[in-house]
Amino acid sequence: QVQLVESGGGLVQAGGSLRLSCAASGRTFNTYTMGWFRQAPGKEREFVAAIRRSGGSPYYADSVKGRFTISRDNAKNTVYLQMNSLKPEDTAVYYCAAAYGFVVSAAEYDYWGQGTQVTVSS
């Protein structure tokens, strides 16, 4: 089992940047695919990005491709989401999650953090 704690959310103006972090407990962090998801008020949770156990071949939703970068540091048991050129439509609660396989569906992720709020003002 793994516990996940996100941090780094906040209020930023459109065009600005934020870096989210997700710290994982346990000694098996490098056995999980790590993903970021987000959920805006009144909307379903949506996939943002995922990264393989080794850190290679990250995968992004079209809506964030070219603006967001997912990375991980297995020595620190941490996954990051660098968000640049933020838009008001990026406003949401952002969650990190862990899965055993390389998947993008929220239903296939086994462990979730509590979420961190990102608000982008216009």
Side-chain angles (χ1 to χ4, degrees):
Q1 191 169 357
V2 62
Q3 293 184 325
L4 305 172
V5 179
E6 302 97 334
S7 62
L11 173 64
V12 64
Q13 288 188 332
S17 298
L18 281 175
R19 188 195 197 200
L20 305 183
S21 299
C22 174
S25 64
R27 291 176 286 182
T28 59
F29 177 75
N30 61 359
T31 67
Y32 296 102
T33 288
M34 297 301 298
W36 285 97
F37 292 78
R38 66 187 181 186
Q39 187 166 19
K43 295 188 176 181
E44 292 187 354
R45 191 167 299 189
E46 66 172 352
F47 169 79
V48 174
I51 190 165
R52 297 181 186 275
R53 303 167 191 175
S54 63
S57 302
Y59 185 77
Y60 300 94
D62 287 343
S63 59
V64 307
K65 201 173 295 183
R67 300 188 297 122
F68 291 11
T69 301
I70 188 172
S71 62
R72 67 189 295 165
D73 186 336
N74 286 342
K76 296 182 178 180
N77 282 9
T78 302
V79 62
Y80 304 97
L81 186 68
Q82 177 67 43
M83 305 186 294
N84 298 328
S85 302
L86 282 160
K87 305 174 181 180
E89 52 263 43
D90 293 318
T91 296
V93 177
Y94 283 70
Y95 299 89
C96 72
Y100 289 107
F102 190 71
V103 292
V104 299
S105 169
E108 297 183 90
Y109 278 76
D110 302 282
Y111 304 103
W112 292 84
Q114 83 290 348
T116 185
Q117 176 71 46
V118 172
T119 303
V120 184
S121 63
S122 57

